[in-house]
Amino acid sequence: MNVYDSNRIKDLFEPKGYSQTSKVEDADLVVLNTCHIREKAAEKVYSDIGRIEKKFSKNKKHDYKLVVAGCVAQAEGIEIKNRAPRVDYVVGPQSYQNLPEMINKNKEFISDDFLQNEKFKSLIFKSSNIVSEFISIQEGCDKFCSFCVVPYTRGSEFSRPVKEIKDEIKQYIDQGIQEVILLGQNVNAYHGQGNNKDVDLAYLLESISEFEQIKRIRYMTSHPNDMSDSLINAHVSNKKLMPFIHLPIQSGSDNILKKMNRKHTRNKYLEIVNKLKSKRPDIAMSSDFIVGFPGESDDDFDLTMNLIKEVEFSIAYSFMFSPRPGTPAYKLTDIDKNIKKARLSALQSLLKEQQKNFNKSFVGKELEVLFDRKGRNQNQYIGRSIYNQSVFITSKENLIGKILQVPIIRSTDFALEAKKQ
Ligand code: SF4
């Protein structure tokens, strides 16, 4: 989402005569687009500001404008100006469309309203990647998981109308994209307007797949409670929808899920996984896990490990719990760090093993890959398989933008190698 927002901020400034520079100290305008999910997010932003200031003063350049944007800007607001007086403007993730005007008119330095509707109407959309593009279709969250800052920094759930999303995609199609990755903090809670009625994500996916030039569609991140039958069925009926789903569960224990305020149970999650697998047996599952949430016992942790063994993930992201200021879980008593570390290490070993086995299962088989960028080595190209794995290949021909069936000859922990062309 932040990559998407950063691209939009860049697109807003280009018509005003700005261009991107690779050296920060050459800039007239620096926009620090921040993420509040990171641990000690605010502290890291202040140290980044310090580093930027140092670079400019070394170059004896003082006439630059410094902006803090994103979720830390939203959460900290005026405090940023108090702690870092060199910051000229502070702008939250739902009002950054006002930035050019704020700077042009030297207006008030802070904008932290939730103006999603107005935001999308004012944005400019230029493709940043010639093959695959992120599209924000839904923002905000009404779920209020007890560990998460998103409902406070991104506001309540908002869905863009179908027409507006398709108009954005049309602009990228003109610039050559073939894959869209639909983004939302709760992407499957999507409930936009289409055809004068409320429509869901399955409808939107079907409508986007009518674009002949769009060959692949992905979406993330989903919540189990919004995994409707229509969306599960779309994984069978919509041939452009990739057989990969990122569906966070966070813990395999109902006791911990309740403490996390996830509003779903372990069984509900497993039911969804089984439904998906029965309809689309090759679907690759991905998830997020928080290890060592306050009150997590050995039994709770074992339940998470058992769930991982039962589902078998193709990839997953796991983190040790760390409290985020302003969330209900911040006040809970944290468990011993060494216990958390040991559990995280066991869980990550299991997930790594599953990822390794998943990748290995494709060696000797053919996979469909969309190549989207050059690799580090000469004549090397990298793409994504239908299951979202990285696949690299050596080829004298430029493969960027090509969708090919390639024979897989080797797998590593994190990627696959295809036979030289
Ligand atoms: S559903 Fe996701 S974004 Fe919403 S509060 Fe929970 S973790 Fe945060």
Side-chain angles (χ1 to χ4, degrees):
M1 192 68 91
N2 270 30
V3 172
Y4 178 87
D5 287 340
S6 296
N7 286 333
R8 296 294 76 77
I9 293 173
K10 179 170 74 68
D11 292 347
L12 281 170
F13 278 97
E14 274 176 355
K16 314 269 177 219
Y18 289 81
S19 60
Q20 227 177 340
T21 171
S22 54
K23 275 193 186 164
V24 69
E25 58 272 33
D26 289 343
D28 299 305
L29 170 70
V30 180
V31 182
L32 208 52
N33 193 20
T34 61
C35 173
H36 203 269
I37 297 278
R38 306 196 308 170
E39 195 179 358
K40 300 199 175 87
E43 293 314 308
K44 283 175 181 155
V45 171
Y46 292 118
S47 75
D48 282 348
I49 292 170
R51 250 198 308 275
I52 290 167
E53 283 186 76
K54 227 184 237 167
K55 283 198 173 180
F56 277 105
S57 69
K58 211 170 152 197
N59 254 21
K60 297 193 173 49
K61 181 174 173 176
H62 305 289
D63 57 345
Y64 65 96
K65 299 263 184 251
L66 180 55
V67 178
V68 178
C71 290
V72 176
Q74 187 72 40
E76 294 275 298
I78 192 99
E79 181 61 19
I80 295 184
K81 190 71 185 161
N82 294 338
R83 277 190 62 182
R86 184 57 189 79
V87 172
D88 297 291
Y89 303 94
V90 179
V91 67
Q94 309 300 22
S95 53
Y96 62 75
Q97 73 280 6
N98 295 329
L99 204 43
E101 202 199 337
M102 285 164 77
I103 290 171
N104 189 24
K105 297 196 175 152
N106 212 4
K107 267 187 154 181
E108 54 173 342
F109 74 91
I110 186 156
S111 176
D112 58 0
D113 298 324
F114 292 122
L115 306 168
Q116 293 101 321
N117 206 356
E118 184 192 301
K119 177 175 93 173
F120 285 106
K121 285 190 179 19
S122 325
L123 293 181
I124 295 169
F125 304 103
K126 281 173 70 186
S127 183
S128 55
N129 187 325
I130 57 163
V131 176
S132 177
E133 195 58 68
F134 292 124
I135 323 271
S136 179
I137 65 160
Q138 183 279 339
E139 292 197 348
C141 180
D142 298 338
K143 304 284 190 296
F144 290 91
C145 299
S146 63
F147 53 83
C148 180
V149 293
V150 166
Y152 312 99
T153 57
R154 289 267 175 179
S156 58
E157 286 175 7
F158 166 80
S159 299
R160 295 173 71 194
V162 173
K163 184 176 175 319
E164 194 182 291
I165 295 166
K166 289 182 79 175
D167 285 346
E168 182 179 344
I169 294 175
K170 268 186 215 155
Q171 299 192 45
Y172 299 146
I173 287 175
D174 292 342
Q175 297 167 55
I177 64 142
Q178 297 179 51
E179 179 182 64
V180 288
I181 303 162
L182 308 180
L183 300 179
Q185 268 89 31
N186 253 292
V187 74
N188 57 344
Y190 178 84
H191 53 273
Q193 280 287 304
N195 241 342
N196 295 323
K197 56 177 196 265
D198 254 0
V199 295
D200 64 2
L201 182 59
Y203 177 99
L204 178 68
L205 292 167
E206 196 51 41
S207 184
I208 292 173
S209 65
E210 285 165 8
F211 287 118
E212 202 196 316
Q213 299 91 330
I214 297 297
K215 309 288 186 222
R216 288 179 163 199
I217 309 172
R218 301 182 190 276
Y219 63 91
M220 66 178 186
T221 291
S222 301
H223 189 284
N225 282 4
D226 295 311
M227 212 59 223
S228 64
D229 282 346
S230 64
L231 185 53
I232 292 174
N233 289 334
H235 279 278
V236 185
S237 59
N238 189 329
K239 301 297 170 222
K240 293 186 179 179
L241 186 57
M242 293 293 101
F244 172 87
I245 179 162
H246 181 65
L247 189 64
I249 181 167
Q250 310 297 358
S251 167
S253 154
D254 284 343
N255 173 33
I256 298 300
L257 288 171
K258 202 163 177 203
K259 286 191 168 138
M260 288 177 167
N261 195 29
R262 287 288 293 174
K263 302 187 184 86
H264 64 82
T265 59
R266 169 197 176 93
N267 274 348
K268 162 121 191 192
Y269 186 88
L270 289 173
E271 253 171 46
I272 296 165
V273 172
N274 291 336
K275 245 191 214 175
L276 276 163
K277 285 187 175 175
S278 70
K279 301 236 173 199
R280 179 83 207 228
D282 68 329
I283 198 150
M285 299 294 310
S286 151
S287 198
D288 291 339
F289 294 92
I290 294 176
V291 173
F293 192 79
E296 185 188 73
S297 65
D298 285 343
D299 287 349
D300 293 321
F301 178 66
D302 287 347
L303 283 164
T304 303
M305 292 293 272
N306 291 342
L307 178 125
I308 294 172
K309 285 177 196 154
E310 190 170 339
V311 176
E312 293 190 22
F313 294 95
S314 65
I315 188 169
Y317 305 91
S318 49
F319 311 88
M320 251 192 321
F321 170 78
S322 63
R324 297 293 185 266
T327 62
Y330 187 70
K331 297 186 203 114
L332 300 177
T333 312
D334 211 353
I335 65 170
D336 185 279
K337 197 164 184 189
N338 289 329
I339 295 177
K340 288 202 283 191
K341 268 190 182 165
R343 287 182 188 162
L344 183 67
S345 157
L347 180 130
Q348 289 186 332
S349 305
L350 177 60
L351 289 170
K352 193 173 165 191
E353 197 56 35
Q354 292 191 344
Q355 184 174 3
K356 222 160 108 180
N357 290 340
F358 180 73
N359 285 341
K360 219 191 241 171
S361 70
F362 294 95
V363 177
K365 294 182 187 158
E366 288 206 337
L367 255 181
E368 186 199 286
V369 178
L370 167 59
F371 290 97
D372 59 358
R373 61 194 189 281
K374 288 205 82 165
R376 266 195 226 141
N377 302 334
Q378 210 190 355
N379 294 333
Q380 191 185 52
Y381 294 90
I382 302 176
R384 293 255 154 208
S385 75
I386 57 171
Y387 305 108
N388 213 30
Q389 300 141 297
S390 272
V391 181
F392 58 95
I393 193 168
T394 305
S395 165
K396 290 210 169 113
E397 192 195 334
N398 181 357
L399 298 185
I400 293 178
K402 296 225 156 96
I403 296 178
L404 300 172
Q405 282 287 132
V406 291
I408 303 300
I409 53 168
R410 192 170 72 91
S411 72
T412 68
D413 291 356
F414 305 108
L416 296 168
E417 183 179 2
K419 195 173 164 200
K420 199 172 170 177
Q421 291 230 319

